[in-house]
Amino acid sequence: MATRNVRTQCPTNQNRTRILDTYSPSISANTFSFADWSREIAKQTEDALAELLTASSVRPQRLHDAMRYATLGGGKRVRAMLVYGAGQLVGADPSRLRVIASSVEMLHAYSLVHDDLPCMDDDVLRRGKPTCHVEFDEATAMLAGDALQARALEILAEYTVCDYPKQQLELIHLFSHAIGSRGMCGGQAIDLANTGKAIDQTELEYMHILKTGALIRASVLMGAMAGSELSPVMRDKLDHYAKCIGLAFQVVDDVLDEAAPTETLGKTAGKDKEAGKTTYISLLGINRARNFAQELIDDAIASLDAAVQAGHTSTTAGEPLKALARYIVERSY
Ligand code: IPE
Ligand code: IPE
Ligand code: MG
Ligand code: MG
Ligand code: MG
């Protein structure tokens, strides 16, 4: 199977919950229910986050309160599900996946808090609630983001998540790289620099791969690193899966910004156009953008099948990641 040229530069809540609960992609194995599986992972992740985040009663209370506000009680938990999906593929211990999934979700929550600040996208609604800086204040939101990032890294050093310390250091290295200036933060900087400018598809793809793709890619690889050592072929195939879904995720985010209503999204619709951002919609139109995302997902699933084959893993072990890939392109928020 030919591989797509995806670049490798970087290693109201109730309503929305209902949509995820009833979502059921067409998967062949009758035994696997994505709706049940995803609900279970979301619940476990919520519980783990509630435990791993410092209690609101601890000083400075307002900061801890803001961190919990931004992280708990919302979000699709797609990155946590990717950690579990990849980990389950290689038989990783669930207690390790719990910590890794919490770490990536804390990091993601921080990225959203900062993304919404007036100096960035200036958004007032997130996950169906006022954004962190609206609910608290700008300085508290900035610090809550900083401290969430620190806590995300801290728990990866605090708990055993790999077989050997060397492997765990590699995991922390991979994660740090993915969220830094050559990963997510770099992508966000490019996004800001490009706002109001006409950019071509190559530049847009570069930006999306960094700002959103890098963390999604890291989530898959970190989940897989919690198991026993991966063969080079399996790692490669899984990595390609991760890169494809990472780019597809942001393509669909761009589509939904234009095509879905605010009450479904839980964030203000139509912001990209209003802010003068180049998106896959502004470059290709909705239909071609959706087709592009679907092509990426098809490519991801083919690569996942190859990973399953290379790992001599049972096909059912690949069902969660397959269903997640489909969910990423078919989701409504
Ligand atoms: C939104 O991510 C920000 C992007 C990187 C596109 P999600 O769509 O995963 O947001 P939540 O976690 O479900 O709120
Ligand atoms: C955000 O991209 C990417 C991040 C790293 C947070 P967007 O700015 O498109 O995300 P939304 O649409 O506000 O969720
Ligand atoms: Mg943004
Ligand atoms: Mg934004
Ligand atoms: Mg967006």
Side-chain angles (χ1 to χ4, degrees):
M1 169 60 66
T3 49
R4 170 171 293 280
N5 179 27
V6 174
R7 291 214 192 99
T8 54
Q9 289 93 346
C10 56
T12 71
N13 289 345
Q14 207 182 14
N15 183 33
R16 291 179 297 119
T17 305
R18 185 178 49 73
I19 294 166
L20 183 58
D21 280 352
T22 53
Y23 175 80
S24 170
S26 46
I27 46 176
S28 49
N30 293 331
T31 47
F32 177 73
S33 157
F34 180 71
D36 292 347
W37 181 83
S38 58
R39 195 182 307 112
E40 183 55 32
I41 304 296
K43 188 191 172 314
Q44 282 180 24
T45 304
E46 182 76 14
D47 293 349
L49 286 166
E51 186 192 311
L52 291 165
L53 286 166
T54 305
S56 298
S57 53
V58 174
R59 282 186 69 196
Q61 286 97 337
R62 190 173 167 81
L63 179 60
H64 290 130
D65 208 15
M67 290 165 73
R68 297 180 77 87
Y69 176 86
T71 314
L72 301 174
K76 297 178 287 295
R77 307 297 188 205
V78 165
R79 291 151 194 83
M81 290 176 199
L82 288 168
V83 169
Y84 275 90
Q88 287 171 359
L89 186 65
V90 296
D93 182 338
S95 67
R96 295 178 178 185
L97 301 177
R98 185 176 186 269
V99 174
I100 300 171
S102 299
S103 175
V104 298
E105 286 292 336
M106 282 182 203
L107 198 290
H108 171 57
Y110 128 66
S111 80
L112 299 179
V113 170
H114 283 196
D115 183 72
D116 291 334
L117 285 170
C119 58
M120 294 193 71
D121 287 353
D122 192 11
D123 264 308
V124 295
L125 191 67
R126 172 69 64 185
R127 295 175 169 175
K129 301 189 295 193
T131 45
C132 194
H133 66 272
V134 171
E135 183 70 14
F136 292 85
D137 56 80
E138 264 180 59
T140 303
M142 193 186 71
L143 291 170
D146 292 341
L148 278 168
Q149 175 166 219
R151 184 67 183 141
L153 287 162
E154 185 183 10
I155 60 174
L156 290 181
E158 192 176 342
Y159 296 90
T160 298
V161 296
C162 293
D163 283 350
Y164 305 104
K166 184 172 179 286
Q167 225 174 340
Q168 189 151 337
L169 265 182
E170 269 170 36
L171 178 145
I172 295 172
H173 183 197
L174 181 143
F175 188 44
S176 314
H177 184 86
I179 62 182
S181 60
R182 286 174 291 163
M184 188 197 75
C185 285
Q188 289 286 67
I190 294 169
D191 184 317
L192 292 180
N194 284 337
T195 300
K197 279 194 202 151
I199 58 168
D200 65 14
Q201 198 173 334
T202 307
E203 174 72 359
L204 182 67
E205 183 171 313
Y206 179 60
M207 178 177 103
H208 278 16
I209 285 170
L210 291 182
K211 79 169 185 177
T212 300
L215 182 58
I216 288 185
R217 181 183 178 199
S219 302
V220 173
L221 293 176
M222 289 161 75
M225 286 169 84
S228 46
E229 210 174 329
L230 288 173
S231 73
V233 180
M234 196 174 175
R235 188 190 161 100
D236 226 47
K237 297 294 176 195
L238 207 53
D239 192 27
H240 187 71
Y241 162 89
K243 284 189 272 181
C244 289
I245 61 161
L247 176 56
F249 192 94
Q250 186 62 46
V251 175
V252 174
D253 184 82
D254 287 0
V255 168
L256 293 174
D257 186 275
E258 174 92 11
T262 297
E263 53 284 10
T264 305
L265 284 177
K267 55 188 184 183
T268 317
K271 282 288 300 208
D272 291 337
K273 197 190 263 178
E274 187 194 307
K277 305 230 187 212
T278 300
T279 62
Y280 274 89
I281 315 305
S282 65
L283 282 184
L284 304 179
I286 285 200
N287 289 342
R288 281 176 63 208
R290 278 198 192 280
N291 289 343
F292 178 56
Q294 186 58 54
E295 275 174 33
L296 286 164
I297 294 304
D298 293 344
D299 195 353
I301 289 176
S303 197
L304 176 66
D305 286 340
V308 168
Q309 247 183 352
H312 305 292
T313 316
S314 81
T315 14
T316 46
E319 290 300 337
L321 287 184
K322 203 175 270 193
L324 263 170
R326 293 190 179 127
Y327 170 69
I328 282 172
V329 77
E330 291 168 14
R331 70 201 162 99
S332 50
Y333 72 99

